[in-house]
Amino acid sequence: MTTTSFAPVFVSSETAKAVFDWTDAIRALQSAYARPVAPKSAPPRTVAAAGKTWLRTLPAVPAGGRYYGAKIMGMAMDAAVPGVEYVIVLFDRETSRIAAFVDGNLVTGFRTAATSAAALDRLAPRGPARLAVLGSGLEATMHTRAIASVRDVTEVVVFSPTPERRAAFAQAVTRDLGIPARGASSAQEAVEGAELVLAAARSKGEHPILFGDWLTLGATIVSIGSTIPEQREIDASVVARSDIIVCDTLEEVLDETGDMLAAHEAGVAFRDKSFSLADLMSGAIDERLKEARTRMYKSVGGGLQDIVVAELILGKAIEAGLVTPLPIEFETKR
């Protein structure tokens, strides 16, 4: 008697980095969000917490994909050496079995930046553009590379509070992408005159780092740093200045991010000009886009992004023979 093995595989961050491609990920996300996204297929993230321990879950069942699953991350802040680990669990529609465990650390950065670039590709006018970057960490690094894959970036100007970090960031951009880059001594200096603005760093005191009167008329803004009520990144004046606001998860961005809560408290009306990423990708707001001059994409991240990018990475890793088979098999309840 023969049995079929359904042993899952593991995909490391090293493998994810080796097989990842910005263009493929951006196109996959644009395709995923162009399909109707049923509310139950990508429900809101959930957070379980007790004391200094928390666990966050982001599930999704993308339409049309082979895999579905969830990203799980957690941290015990009072552990001897606290840190966050991420795992994306993929189930296979064809077998209904657990197919893979993907290290979600780098994937989280990849999917956030690729989704931002997917949105910016539909929001920002075509043509050469200067990119202002506020922040010099992993997200800023990944977003710069993702944006450069969909637009002709003529120059990158970066602001980070530490001169050494912004200098290193600029050097890496020129070395890796061949794009002229330089540091700026202030966020305002970086932003002035830029057609594309990336806000990817909150201040330590949770004060806004980007203001509306700094923006060039017609600029496109990507804001990714304020994802919960306690966090701040952009001033209410940026919300007021934006003619259209696209959100990856509409309700979460509008109701659960510090920036939008502050804008509401300041009396800024934004709900009638805010739309979902699915609205953007499906073409439902094309007419509104024609009238909009200053445009913003604001993100909190979502399980749909994780699963779409993880599926892409898993497929490439299998093809390249880079997955690690696991000597385990789960018992199936029937």
Side-chain angles (χ1 to χ4, degrees), residues 42-49 54-60 69-74 85-89 111 252 301-304 306-307:
R45 56 191 170 176
T46 60
V47 181
W54 57 265
L55 181 74
R56 182 182 296 179
T57 308
L58 291 84
K71 182 171 75 177
I72 304 168
M73 68 199 85
E85 292 193 354
Y86 305 70
V87 61
I88 299 169
V89 184
R111 61 82 149 150
E252 288 187 49
L304 181 63
D306 291 308
I307 303 306

Side-chain angles (χ1 to χ4, degrees), residues 104-123:
N105 184 33
L106 274 182
V107 174
T108 299
F110 285 146
R111 61 82 149 150
T112 304
T115 308
S116 294
L120 182 141
D121 188 38
R122 300 294 174 87
L123 282 172

Side-chain angles (χ1 to χ4, degrees), residues 206-260:
E206 299 297 351
H207 300 297
I209 61 169
L210 178 64
F211 293 83
D213 58 1
W214 298 354
L215 296 168
T216 297
L217 186 62
T220 300
I221 306 105
V222 172
S223 170
I224 64 164
S226 170
T227 62
I228 59 176
E230 296 77 17
Q231 295 173 340
R232 293 300 311 279
E233 182 175 64
I234 61 171
D235 185 66
S237 59
V238 178
V239 179
R241 182 78 174 259
S242 299
D243 298 315
I244 195 166
I245 301 168
V246 172
C247 313
D248 60 346
T249 308
L250 189 63
E251 291 77 13
E252 288 187 49
V253 170
L254 299 188
D255 299 331
E256 299 180 27
T257 65
D259 290 337
M260 303 309 284

